[in-house]
Amino acid sequence: MPRVVVDVMLKPEILDPQGQAVANALPRLGVNDVASVRIGRRIEIDFTGEPDLDRAREIADKLLANPVIEDFTVHLGEADEAADARS
């Protein structure tokens, strides 16, 4: 199935308390070589026909991201891409 992936991240100048909490917890797990962590969202949109990147950008701009504090990227994804990332 044709899939478009939208990644939403806070803009670099916006504080990320979730990311900071993760970064602060890493040393307790023995991980000392991480400088910073940013938390974002991944949204997968499955189209019934051909994937429409322009339509996905419009959806992201109007609904999925807050353009005041967030940036987003849109790219084609594979149906099994999420499963590959977990393994």
Side-chain angles (χ1 to χ4, degrees):
M1 181 173 296
R3 174 170 291 168
V4 174
V5 176
V6 179
D7 292 311
V8 181
M9 296 293 295
L10 287 170
K11 291 184 176 186
E13 62 271 15
I14 302 297
L15 294 177
D16 183 355
Q18 285 181 299
Q20 190 171 12
V22 170
N24 291 340
L26 289 174
R28 291 192 294 273
L29 298 174
V31 180
N32 296 306
D33 56 349
V34 174
S36 68
V37 176
R38 304 284 290 174
I39 303 291
R41 297 187 311 278
R42 173 189 168 107
I43 299 103
E44 297 177 353
I45 303 170
D46 293 328
F47 286 90
T48 55
E50 288 298 312
D52 188 339
L53 292 176
D54 289 332
R55 174 68 69 157
R57 279 187 199 93
E58 181 181 359
I59 293 168
D61 187 50
K62 292 182 177 178
L63 182 64
L64 302 177
N66 177 345
V68 174
I69 63 169
E70 295 174 317
D71 291 324
F72 65 88
T73 59
V74 176
H75 62 91
L76 292 176
E78 297 298 324
D80 58 353
E81 185 176 327
D84 290 343
R86 280 179 254 158
S87 33

